[in-house]
Amino acid sequence: KELEGQKHEPEKITFQYLKYSINDVGKQVERRKGDWYVVSPFKLIMNEGNCYLMAVNEKGKLINYRLDRMRNIQLTGEPREGAEVFAEVKLATYSRRVFNMYRGEEQRVLIRFIPPLLDTMVERFGTGDGTLYYRYDDRHLAVRTTVEVSDQFYGWLLGFGRRVKLMEASGSAVEDFRAYLDKVRGMYE
């Protein structure tokens, strides 16, 4: 590959990652007490108005980092790793599966919903890559798709109230959603 007419070999980067602190919410502070992150960068993506770096970390996991929270970014001179991990990602559907960029266990799910929410479901899950829409019964439609199950996914479902129901999952998402609801309800007792 070439960059500005010169041979370019992709390499790892290092940076400090920021978070907000309750001591001064107007100022971000370094995560992990200022320790440096070392990752192999692969792609920049936009999600809900934020720009994220998709990178493979030192443990070989694909992680997303918000660009505006990265500071003191430097090249390491070490060759990039993790191409095989990144190659498994289906970019066309990736950001639809990953809710708010919080990674979770990938599961195949069946979600029942009322017909007026069809546009919302198509905007979230798209129409390709094994995503199937159909009439569930005389009052509901359904989508069968793959998502990365996380608390953010559960919160998204919960925002629809009784208009949406998680019916099945290839893993424990339905049972875990019940536990999530019980945990939230317990906070208000």
Side-chain angles (χ1 to χ4, degrees):
K1 296 181 180 181
E2 287 192 9
L3 182 66
E4 297 179 0
Q6 302 287 330
K7 185 174 179 184
H8 173 72
E9 290 296 327
E11 59 187 90
K12 293 180 183 180
I13 62 170
T14 185
F15 58 90
Q16 292 175 304
Y17 203 52
L18 304 175
K19 66 178 181 176
Y20 288 100
S21 167
I22 194 64
N23 298 329
D24 183 357
V25 293
K27 181 182 176 194
Q28 293 183 333
V29 297
E30 293 93 2
R31 288 182 182 256
R32 300 193 309 194
K33 298 179 181 172
D35 283 350
W36 291 80
Y37 289 64
V38 177
V39 301
S40 294
F42 281 91
K43 184 134 183 96
L44 293 175
I45 56 174
M46 292 295 293
N47 183 270
E48 297 187 5
N50 295 305
C51 188
Y52 293 85
L53 171 68
M54 291 177 66
V56 175
N57 70 8
E58 293 177 299
K59 295 178 182 176
K61 291 187 141 200
L62 185 65
I63 305 287
N64 302 301
Y65 300 94
R66 267 190 49 176
L67 226 52
D68 62 326
R69 293 187 180 169
M70 297 169 64
R71 181 168 77 180
N72 300 323
I73 302 168
Q74 300 170 19
L75 297 171
T76 66
E78 299 174 43
R80 180 173 72 179
E81 298 174 341
E84 63 286 345
V85 173
F86 183 73
E88 293 178 13
V89 176
K90 294 178 182 169
L91 291 174
T93 58
Y94 179 78
S95 63
R96 283 187 230 130
R97 285 188 296 111
V98 182
F99 284 76
N100 295 331
M101 294 297 147
Y102 290 91
R103 298 288 307 240
E105 178 190 349
E106 191 173 290
Q107 293 185 39
R108 191 94 176 128
V109 296
L110 173 65
I111 301 170
R112 185 190 75 188
F113 58 93
I114 62 172
L117 292 177
L118 179 59
D119 287 347
T120 301
M121 297 298 161
V122 171
E123 287 168 4
R124 172 52 74 179
F125 301 116
T127 58
D129 199 38
T131 297
L132 227 53
Y133 297 90
Y134 57 92
R135 184 161 299 285
Y136 186 83
D137 58 30
D138 61 333
R139 293 181 17 223
H140 299 96
L141 303 177
V143 59
R144 187 174 298 276
T145 190
T146 301
V147 300
E148 295 204 16
V149 176
S150 65
D151 285 355
Q152 287 69 30
F153 170 64
Y154 295 145
W156 181 81
L157 286 173
L158 190 56
F160 293 105
R162 298 173 53 91
R163 298 175 296 161
V164 169
K165 183 175 181 184
L166 178 61
M167 302 298 290
E168 350 174 323
S170 61
S172 60
V174 175
E175 296 81 17
D176 293 347
F177 187 39
R178 286 187 193 115
Y180 173 84
L181 293 171
D182 289 341
K183 185 171 58 173
V184 171
R185 185 180 16 253
M187 290 175 55
Y188 293 94
E189 291 179 350

